[in-house]
Amino acid sequence: NEALVTAARHAMLCSLFCTSCADACVAEPMDMRGCIRACLDCAEVCAATARLAVRRSSQNIDMLRAQIQACITACDLCAAECDRHDHEHCKLCMTMCRECADDCRKALPTVC
């Protein structure tokens, strides 16, 4: 399933981008707690999604579909939070979150 492979790849990358953005937010002079939390939450959800998506034996399709939907939600929320800030790391994270959410939306109907 090429769509699922692409979504898993982007979820792995998105997890790294979100972790990096959260780390960069710590160094910002203003209060970035909301962005840090959104990024760390998204990183965890994306990492779990990538792991579930690449498992091949005895997949629980209902669990995978729920996880992909959770990834879409987490990425949408994180992108919206990062969009509120003018930092380069937030812009990069926002872009990756949107790409990941789009790929997950494409993969979701293929998981059955």
Side-chain angles (χ1 to χ4, degrees), residues 9-110:
R9 185 180 304 120
H10 263 126
M12 285 187 291
L13 285 172
C14 193
S15 177
L16 296 173
F17 272 70
C18 288
T19 301
S20 176
C21 186
D23 184 63
C25 285
V26 171
E28 296 296 343
M30 69 282 299
D31 181 5
M32 298 292 289
R33 285 179 288 186
C35 194
I36 292 167
R37 179 173 302 278
C39 287
L40 292 177
D41 288 351
C42 190
E44 294 292 335
V45 172
C46 285
T49 303
R51 286 190 301 272
L52 265 64
V54 298
R55 290 185 187 153
R56 300 309 317 151
S57 60
S58 301
Q59 271 187 333
N60 182 332
I61 298 302
D62 292 335
M63 176 68 74
L64 180 56
R65 290 181 60 77
Q67 186 64 43
I68 292 170
Q69 186 58 57
C71 192
I72 293 167
T73 301
C75 286
D76 286 344
L77 291 171
C78 189
E81 177 62 33
C82 283
D83 192 31
R84 296 179 52 222
H85 308 286
D86 197 32
H87 309 293
E88 187 61 28
H89 55 87
C90 287
K91 291 178 185 176
L92 291 170
C93 186
M94 176 189 64
T95 299
M96 181 54 69
C97 284
R98 288 182 177 160
E99 289 177 8
C100 184
D102 288 344
D103 285 338
C104 285
R105 282 185 185 91
K106 291 174 188 168
L108 194 55
T110 70

